[in-house]
Amino acid sequence: EGGGLFTTVVRALHEELGIAPDQLQQKGVLKYRTDSYHFELERIDSPSYPGLTSIYRTHHVQVDILEEGVELFKECGLPHCMDFQTEESSELGTTTHFWRWYDTTVALQQGVVKFPPPILSSSPVLADDPDKGGASDDSWRTLAHSEVANEADLVVFLERSGIDPSKFGTGKAKTLASLIKEVAKGDSTLQWQEQTSSIRRIAEPLFIQFRRDDKVLVEVEQKFTDGRVRKRNMLLAEKKSPEDV
């Protein structure tokens, strides 16, 4: 149920909340709401990647915690929907994530972001229309990681498509290495169209209404090792990987 998107949901809950995937997939723990699925297609020229068109195939899903699953999330503020925090360690230090269970109506009123817009297509078929910026036009092929495994290889494709690679890593733009790492992790893919010598970036963000009855989980803020605080006020999120099937 939910196909590859539910696989992404399980990974998000595992990585963000620390719940084992096999426990999350047990019968009676979660319900993936196929009736609440929404899809949105956006074509953006992002300042993070100057000159590189990005297509976002954004998925909005709802997943409910069933009665038998409440105990599994006792470290996540249930059953009383209390605030809680989690920690994520990396080579850059430890990031503390602060979470809150909001009444869904209140969350919408207070501007919690990444709820689906009021009117959206519930079918990803729209993404297949190349005239509307779709991501599955057969004239485009996905570049293998081995084709863009280093900066020199990536520069060849960028220059062939008329993109200036020297603009990467300046101002608000991310570095070439950041893009290569993103592709290697499966957070995005690069596609090439030989006929027009064009390259584009495809990303599939997934935003999850993770709910217990009328409460929805919101990441309020993040606190970094150096004391900096980043306001989030956002639903649980993850990027769909090509391997999520």
Side-chain angles (χ1 to χ4, degrees), residues 4-245:
L5 293 178
F6 186 67
T7 302
T8 311
V9 168
V10 169
R11 189 174 72 253
L13 295 174
H14 172 59
E15 293 180 355
E16 298 294 339
L17 305 181
I19 310 297
D22 60 336
Q23 293 179 298
L24 293 166
Q25 296 179 83
Q26 290 179 359
K27 186 177 180 180
V29 171
L30 301 175
K31 179 176 177 59
Y32 179 92
R33 294 282 301 276
T34 55
D35 59 316
S36 296
Y37 173 74
H38 289 287
F39 174 82
E40 184 177 23
L41 186 68
E42 297 177 283
R43 183 187 183 103
I44 297 173
D45 293 319
S46 171
S48 296
Y49 301 108
L52 179 62
T53 296
S54 293
I55 294 179
Y56 289 88
R57 304 183 74 252
T58 303
H59 307 273
H60 299 268
V61 302
Q62 179 177 329
V63 176
D64 296 342
I65 301 173
L66 302 178
E67 190 64 36
E68 292 182 27
V70 171
E71 177 68 17
L72 185 60
F73 295 94
K74 64 181 180 181
E75 300 298 324
C76 302
L78 295 184
H80 303 298
C81 294
M82 306 293 290
D83 292 0
F84 67 97
Q85 60 192 56
T86 58
E87 290 188 347
E88 177 185 4
S89 296
S90 71
E91 58 187 19
L92 300 177
T94 300
T95 301
T96 304
H97 302 260
F98 295 85
W99 304 88
R100 178 169 298 160
W101 293 95
Y102 272 87
D103 180 271
T104 304
T105 302
V106 173
L108 287 165
Q109 291 173 345
Q110 295 192 2
V112 170
V113 296
K114 302 308 180 182
F115 278 96
I119 301 175
L120 281 175
S121 168
S122 61
S123 171
V125 171
L126 285 177
D128 295 333
D129 186 345
D131 295 327
K132 297 182 179 179
S136 58
D137 178 1
D138 289 341
S139 67
W140 293 85
R141 71 175 181 87
T142 299
L143 295 175
H145 173 53
S146 59
E147 295 180 271
V148 287
N150 56 61
E151 293 188 17
D153 291 338
L154 178 57
V155 164
V156 170
F157 283 103
L158 293 176
E159 290 184 336
R160 284 184 63 190
S161 60
I163 297 172
D164 183 358
S166 69
K167 293 183 178 180
F168 284 66
T170 62
K172 294 183 178 180
K174 294 183 179 181
T175 63
L176 293 170
S178 295
L179 180 55
I180 291 170
K181 183 178 180 180
E182 182 183 281
V183 172
K185 289 175 60 182
D187 288 343
S188 71
T189 58
L190 293 174
Q191 292 188 336
W192 177 257
Q193 189 178 57
E194 188 65 35
Q195 300 94 311
T196 60
S197 294
S198 299
I199 190 171
R200 65 185 184 182
R201 171 178 168 266
I202 309 293
E204 292 202 50
L206 175 73
F207 299 107
I208 307 163
Q209 289 189 61
F210 190 53
R211 296 173 60 161
R212 173 58 183 164
D213 297 328
D214 60 348
K215 302 290 186 180
V216 63
L217 186 62
V218 175
E219 184 179 18
V220 179
E221 63 183 25
Q222 300 172 349
K223 186 174 182 179
F224 301 100
T225 301
D226 60 9
R228 289 180 299 119
V229 174
R230 179 190 183 193
K231 298 295 183 182
R232 295 285 281 172
N233 203 36
M234 190 174 84
L235 297 179
L236 185 67
E238 184 57 272
K239 291 180 180 177
K240 184 177 183 295
S241 167
E243 285 73 39
D244 291 343
V245 295

